[in-house]
Amino acid sequence: MKILVCISHVPDTTSKINFTENDTKFDSNGVQFVINPYDEFALTRAMWFKEKQAASITVITVGDATTEPTLRKALAIGADNAIRVNATATDGFAVAKELAAVVKNDTYDLILAGKESIDYNGGMVPGMLAGLLDYNFVNACIGLEIEGEEATVSREIDGGKEVLSCNLPLIIAGQKGLVEEKDLRIPNMRGIMMARKKPLTIVEPTASDTATKSTSFEKPAAKSACKLIDADNVDELINLLHNEAKVI
Amino acid sequence: MSVLVLAETSEGKFKKSTFEVTSYGKKVAEQLDTNLVVLAINATENETLYKYGAEKVLNVSDEALATFNAKTVANIVKQAAEKEKSTVVIIDSNANGLYLAPLVAVNLNAGFASNVISLPSSTSPFVVKRKAFSSKAFNNCEISTEVKVIALAKNSYGVFENEVSGTTESFSPEIASSNLTSESIEQTTGTVTIADADIVVSGGRGLKGPENWGMVEELAAILGAATACSKPVSDLGWRPHSEHVGQTGKPVAANLYIAIGISGAIQHLAGINSSKVKVVINTDAEAPFFKAADYGIVGDAFEVIPTLIEKLKEFKAINA
Ligand SMILES: Cc1cc2nc3c(=O)[nH]c(=O)nc-3n(C[C@H](O)[C@H](O)[C@H](O)COP(=O)(O)OP(=O)(O)OC[C@H]3O[C@@H](n4cnc5c(N)ncnc54)[C@H](O)[C@@H]3O)c2cc1C
């Protein structure tokens, strides 16, 4: 089984979010970039298929050269090879088109991605990729088993879950549940050494048009101070929630 | 030209969020000087949508659509958008909506903006404001394609009445087949989901163990609220993953979010920041949550919550 894992290179969850150039660009100064947390679940599930079902794993990102350490980290965790499409990811549709071009060239049985990236939170690349390739697609995936050509997939629905079945090829957009948090992999020394020698191919973009563009960013308005209520005066909290905030 | 909204139903009834997307769609249609069309699948009360501005309801009634299939529904949305010459398609941010929206965008070769929180600030160019960086910032996004697809963030716009004399037209699209088969659906009934809840009561590691969640559940029941938790609480298996809220869990955009024994780590706050009113109850006055909250009690949850439950019972008895 050939697996492709789509990796997004995102600011670490503790990053201070600031903008430059008149609030048009994300300020990456001093920001640590990591594998998108949702993609880590996908990559870990892929590792399970590699170890138990002899699958091969390619990781891919659409991004400039600064994203390479993130791909190397995925290789250190255990992916076999990496592809970087040499384009700045600005629009989800354009990213999906670049990924689709790679997959059309070299097919995969299973494509795993995270359900959204924690920077732009677009939540569109996996679904669009599935639409462009006409692959089966399951969003918000919380469980995936594969037996030969057949997949059993669970997805989270509002207030529950749905179990689906289909044949490969399949694209899933994963989240926690696909694997457990405690099973997430961190690269070890040997993995890091081996990753240096694993192939990282750079592919030139097909220069798709963009469908959307970010024109500017804004930060949330400063919040007014928290009103403290004495622990012995719970009535006052109820009063404020009822009469001031009007939420109960 | 038209604006198309996809309605979400649950057992034939529209969800509250459908009234929100319809209210929003009506305003977008006014901005574009055109009409609002709502696509409703196996719905029974189409007339209720007129109240929120639906000039036309396209009603699809088909047994084959009883179980949701993203590809099939995305294909129906495409057919409806083409028939109605829609230039803007608006979808609700529930689990099914977020599943099918990217497929609709591909079908219509349309740019897609998710997490949208306000009306277009301009329609030419077409620019909408959306949440980004897990609600730590907003992003103004220009959609340049002829057709635009928008997923409206929950509870970001509100429900507004705008009565029109609408009509319902029966619509029989081609039903495309899908290779995905739904095997089973497990849904908890009787409890409020985090996505639909107006009030969310959330517990953190400060509650010490799963055996102490009785008071969280009781508080939630009195308020008609959903229960939620911080990430370590679900990682420890005290509560199900589906309750994990925050940057890497579910987003919460409730009217009221009550955090009990939660420190307020940046990743937690990122996910719940879109809630309108936040209350924190924590023994530690220095907990970062107090900087993000509107109301706070520095105190022991094991004393404050039982009292709050008693007082709320009295309050509800009077204000029911
Ligand atoms: C990549 C990444 C992603 C993450 N994503 C998320 C996420 O999506 N959601 C999330 O929640 N976290 C997330 N985290 C974890 C986050 O950093 C915090 O560790 C977590 O939110 C802390 O949970 P907590 O507040 O329940 O526990 P703690 O930080 O342990 O806080 C417990 C609090 O309870 C208080 N307390 C103790 N006893 C009492 C009492 N009797 N009464 C009242 N208060 C009491 C304490 O004062 C303390 O403030 C993420 C972390 C990483 C690295």
Side-chain angles (χ1 to χ4, degrees):
Chain A
M1 178 163 59
K2 276 180 72 183
I3 303 180
L4 183 69
V5 182
C6 307
I7 301 279
S8 178
H9 163 88
V10 298
D12 167 27
T13 56
T14 56
S15 305
K16 291 266 174 290
I17 305 300
N18 289 309
F19 303 100
T20 57
E21 296 179 36
N22 244 338
D23 285 335
T24 58
K25 295 251 160 15
F26 174 67
D27 182 1
S28 57
N29 212 333
V31 169
Q32 179 97 24
F33 281 81
V34 296
I35 300 178
N36 181 41
Y38 292 107
D39 307 349
E40 279 189 87
F41 293 107
L43 179 59
T44 305
R45 192 66 192 141
M47 284 302 294
W48 190 91
F49 290 121
K50 175 175 165 157
E51 285 157 7
K52 302 281 196 295
Q53 300 184 358
S56 68
I57 307 175
T58 301
V59 287
I60 188 166
T61 197
V62 176
D64 60 27
T66 59
T67 64
E68 285 191 10
T70 299
L71 283 177
R72 288 279 174 214
K73 186 174 169 203
L75 291 171
I77 287 170
D80 300 293
N81 61 306
I83 301 172
R84 177 171 71 80
V85 180
N86 190 24
T88 309
T90 53
D91 164 45
F93 208 164
V95 169
K97 284 179 184 164
E98 295 299 345
L99 295 172
V102 170
V103 176
K104 277 181 184 149
N105 233 335
D106 186 13
T107 59
Y108 293 87
D109 305 298
L110 182 62
I111 301 178
L112 304 176
K115 74 160 184 182
E116 66 179 28
S117 65
I118 62 162
D119 51 2
Y120 289 88
N121 307 99
M124 67 178 90
V125 171
M128 285 179 161
L129 180 59
L132 291 167
L133 295 168
D134 200 20
Y135 276 23
N136 291 322
F137 169 57
V138 176
N139 198 39
C141 176
I142 50 172
L144 171 64
E145 300 295 336
I146 301 210
E147 213 49 75
E149 281 295 293
E150 270 174 60
T152 308
V153 200
S154 324
R155 74 170 177 111
E156 185 167 74
I157 57 176
D158 296 325
K161 76 169 183 178
E162 180 182 22
V163 179
L164 300 137
S165 65
C166 68
N167 280 337
L168 300 181
L170 165 69
I171 300 185
I172 64 112
Q175 62 185 55
K176 184 157 90 171
L178 184 57
V179 297
E180 295 301 317
E181 183 83 18
K182 62 175 171 25
D183 297 325
L184 288 178
R185 307 284 177 102
I186 9 178
N188 57 25
M189 213 49 216
R190 185 159 165 270
I192 294 169
M193 300 297 287
M194 279 168 61
R196 294 197 188 139
K197 296 194 205 85
K198 289 181 179 173
L200 191 162
T201 316
I202 296 164
V203 176
E204 286 310 314
T206 55
S208 317
D209 303 337
T210 55
T212 60
K213 79 170 185 243
S214 162
T215 54
S216 66
F217 294 96
E218 292 168 28
K219 299 234 281 182
K223 225 193 62 50
S224 51
C226 177
K227 270 194 191 160
L228 286 179
I229 298 129
D230 200 88
D232 298 328
N233 197 2
V234 171
D235 280 322
E236 177 61 8
L237 177 65
I238 295 173
N239 173 38
L240 288 168
L241 292 178
H242 183 56
N243 292 314
E244 188 178 79
K246 297 187 171 35
V247 287
I248 61 169
Chain B
M1 207 163 104
S2 72
V3 169
L4 181 70
V5 159
L6 174 65
E8 166 90 357
T9 53
S10 154
E11 279 149 24
K13 292 220 162 34
F14 294 117
K15 291 197 171 180
K16 183 183 144 207
S17 55
T18 290
F19 302 134
E20 183 174 29
V21 279
T22 305
S23 307
Y24 177 86
K26 173 65 184 167
K27 276 284 173 253
V28 176
E30 279 175 7
Q31 283 185 339
L32 292 168
D33 206 5
T34 183
N35 286 340
L36 173 65
V37 180
V38 180
L39 172 63
I41 296 174
N42 291 340
T44 48
E45 299 166 339
N46 292 318
E47 315 72 43
T48 54
L49 295 175
Y50 306 158
K51 198 160 91 191
Y52 303 98
E55 270 105 0
K56 173 148 94 181
V57 178
L58 282 185
N59 178 53
V60 184
S61 236
D62 196 318
E63 267 304 298
L65 301 171
T67 311
F68 173 82
N69 180 291
K71 184 175 167 181
T72 308
V73 178
N75 191 272
I76 295 173
V77 176
K78 172 194 157 98
Q79 294 174 59
E82 283 172 352
K83 171 177 162 344
E84 298 296 329
K85 303 192 170 46
S86 310
T87 52
V88 180
V89 177
I90 302 165
I91 294 171
D92 184 5
S93 293
N94 51 46
N96 290 348
L98 294 178
Y99 187 178
L100 64 84
L103 301 173
V104 170
V106 171
N107 284 343
L108 295 169
N109 199 15
F112 171 42
S114 60
N115 270 319
V116 170
I117 55 160
S118 63
L119 289 169
S121 56
S122 120
T123 54
S124 175
F126 193 91
V127 180
V128 283
K129 193 197 275 197
R130 53 184 300 277
K131 292 192 270 192
F133 294 95
S134 311
S135 305
K136 289 176 201 163
F138 304 108
N139 166 217
N140 290 304
C141 173
E142 178 182 331
I143 311 180
S144 49
T145 45
E146 198 180 321
V147 180
K148 289 115 183 130
V149 177
I150 287 177
L152 183 68
K154 254 185 214 301
N155 255 339
S156 59
Y157 182 71
V159 173
F160 298 99
E161 290 191 13
N162 197 338
E163 182 93 40
V164 293
S165 59
T167 52
T168 294
E169 180 183 307
S170 133
F171 177 48
S172 312
E174 259 180 64
I175 312 275
S177 66
S178 158
N179 297 322
L180 264 172
T181 315
S182 177
E183 301 288 349
S184 66
I185 292 177
E186 269 172 48
Q187 207 150 13
T188 39
T189 47
T191 52
V192 196
T193 64
I194 293 172
D196 285 337
D198 289 327
I199 303 180
V200 173
V201 177
S202 190
R205 203 148 51 180
L207 291 177
K208 316 279 192 273
E211 66 281 5
N212 297 326
W213 246 263
M215 61 182 187
V216 177
E217 283 172 349
E218 193 178 354
L219 179 59
I222 296 170
L223 293 168
T227 50
C229 68
S230 68
K231 176 171 175 286
V233 166
S234 79
D235 288 346
L236 288 162
W238 296 358
R239 300 295 292 176
H241 288 328
S242 55
E243 286 196 1
H244 160 194
V245 297
Q247 185 164 16
T248 54
K250 282 203 177 62
V252 182
N255 287 331
L256 174 60
Y257 182 77
I258 304 180
I260 309 165
I262 298 177
S263 58
I266 186 167
Q267 298 96 348
H268 184 86
L269 296 177
I272 61 98
N273 246 336
S274 312
S275 297
K276 297 205 174 77
V277 175
K278 283 153 277 191
V279 173
V280 56
I281 296 157
N282 196 308
T283 40
D284 176 9
E286 300 296 313
F289 213 122
F290 285 100
K291 293 210 171 63
D294 301 282
Y295 303 103
I297 294 184
V298 179
D300 185 343
F302 296 98
E303 289 162 17
V304 175
I305 300 304
T307 317
L308 184 59
I309 289 171
E310 285 319 306
K311 302 277 186 190
L312 272 172
K313 277 186 187 156
E314 290 166 22
F315 168 82
K316 289 279 174 184
I318 305 165
N319 293 281

